[in-house]
Amino acid sequence: MTTLDFSIRKKEHHPISMITCYDSTFARLVNESDVDCILIGDSLAMVIHGENTTIPATIDMMEMHTKAVRKGAPDKFIVADMPFLATRKGLSYAVECAGRLLCAGANAVKIERISTQKETISYLVESGIPVMAHLGLTPQFYNTLGGHKRQGKTDTEAERIKKEAQLAVECGCFSVLLECIPPEIAADITNSIDAATIGIGCGDGTDGQVLVLHDMLGLTECAPKFVTKYMEGAALVKDALNQYAAKVATH
């Protein structure tokens, strides 16, 4: 895929599948699958590095994991998250961080929230850096949101998110990721903007879906309620480990 394919798939009503991935081993498996594209989320701070939020993810971490994923998935379209505050320290720093991620193998970057960053996002797009907007539940705003809470529950919140989605299109974003907002709001936004929408935890009315790989494989202890587990990975891994331990113990 390319950025142009997102809008084509939207027009053709051909849903887009996206999965998070953080390392070359899983990336190789994703590369051999039918999944359309990969998101290297700053959720790696939690999933891989054991943090409680995405905030501790750094540009060095994001760059390192992007390189690893690209090595394993040479054929997939890859979006990498701009980490906490990367777009809040001026245009030059934002371009530097985004450039590092693209040089590491990403095809585009993802940025949380748009309304206060219009100049920065427009500048990145004009610099040849494709941008995916992230609206709704924005984990980097964990402290101001009071936790990982569903957004858009009031008419005021819903209208704000809808306006921000339109602003994302005006800034040149090729796609908008919508997280944890009511399904009817997500569907309304999807129908009101030209850019393709990717949803997580907001129903099936978007142009595509994204899931955290470790959640859908059943490898995490506390996956969000909206996640469909396609296997009980944790149980399978522990069973394999116990079989190995038992075999070693008998020799």
Side-chain angles (χ1 to χ4, degrees):
M1 292 185 68
T2 69
T3 54
L4 299 179
D5 290 316
F6 280 75
S7 59
I8 292 173
R9 295 280 284 269
K10 179 184 182 78
K11 293 176 182 177
E12 295 178 346
H13 302 288
H14 185 171
I16 301 163
S17 57
M18 174 178 270
I19 197 76
T20 66
C21 189
Y22 314 115
D23 64 79
S24 61
T25 299
F26 272 124
R28 177 177 55 81
L29 298 176
V30 176
N31 195 63
E32 297 170 357
S33 77
D34 295 328
V35 170
D36 294 313
C37 47
I38 293 173
L39 171 64
I40 305 170
D42 56 2
S43 51
L44 60 83
M46 302 171 69
V47 178
I48 303 300
H49 296 274
E51 303 288 353
N52 293 322
T53 72
T54 65
I55 292 173
T58 65
I59 187 60
D60 290 338
M61 290 165 60
M62 296 306 303
E63 181 181 33
M64 176 181 66
H65 286 279
T66 299
K67 287 180 179 178
V69 171
R70 176 51 78 192
K71 288 178 180 178
D75 305 318
K76 296 295 183 180
F77 185 92
I78 294 176
V79 180
D81 270 349
M82 289 281 274
F84 182 59
L85 298 182
T87 57
R88 302 280 178 165
K89 298 179 180 181
L91 292 179
S92 61
Y93 186 72
V95 170
E96 177 187 345
C97 289
R100 287 175 63 178
L101 294 178
L102 261 65
C103 288
N107 300 103
V109 298
K110 180 166 70 63
I111 298 174
E112 295 186 9
R113 300 220 182 163
I114 300 298
S115 58
T116 59
Q117 305 187 96
K118 182 177 179 180
E119 180 185 6
T120 299
I121 292 171
S122 296
Y123 188 76
L124 290 175
V125 173
E126 291 168 2
S127 299
I129 301 170
V131 176
M132 172 183 283
H134 183 161
L135 307 176
L137 171 56
T138 47
Q140 290 177 10
F141 291 77
Y142 176 90
N143 290 309
T144 54
L145 294 176
H148 296 118
K149 298 180 179 180
R150 178 171 287 272
Q151 301 297 301
K153 293 185 291 184
T154 67
D155 290 343
T156 300
E157 287 182 356
E159 186 61 26
R160 175 184 61 78
I161 296 171
K162 185 175 181 180
K163 287 182 178 179
E164 203 164 7
Q166 186 59 54
L167 181 60
V169 177
E170 293 174 6
C171 290
C173 294
F174 72 95
S175 180
V176 177
L177 188 148
L178 301 171
E179 180 171 0
C180 288
I181 63 176
E184 63 274 16
I185 304 303
D188 184 30
I189 291 173
T190 298
N191 293 328
S192 66
I193 64 174
D194 294 330
T197 59
I198 305 295
I200 179 168
C202 54
D204 58 3
T206 52
D207 298 309
Q209 297 289 328
V210 61
L211 279 179
V212 173
L213 179 65
H214 294 66
D215 287 345
M216 59 91 72
L217 293 181
L219 295 172
T220 50
E221 292 184 5
C222 300
K225 294 181 180 179
F226 60 79
V227 172
T228 298
K229 291 185 180 180
Y230 291 86
M231 63 180 285
E232 293 295 336
L236 292 172
V237 171
K238 285 187 285 187
D239 182 59
L241 291 171
N242 288 335
Q243 289 185 53
Y244 164 68
K247 184 175 182 179
V248 171
T250 58
H251 287 76

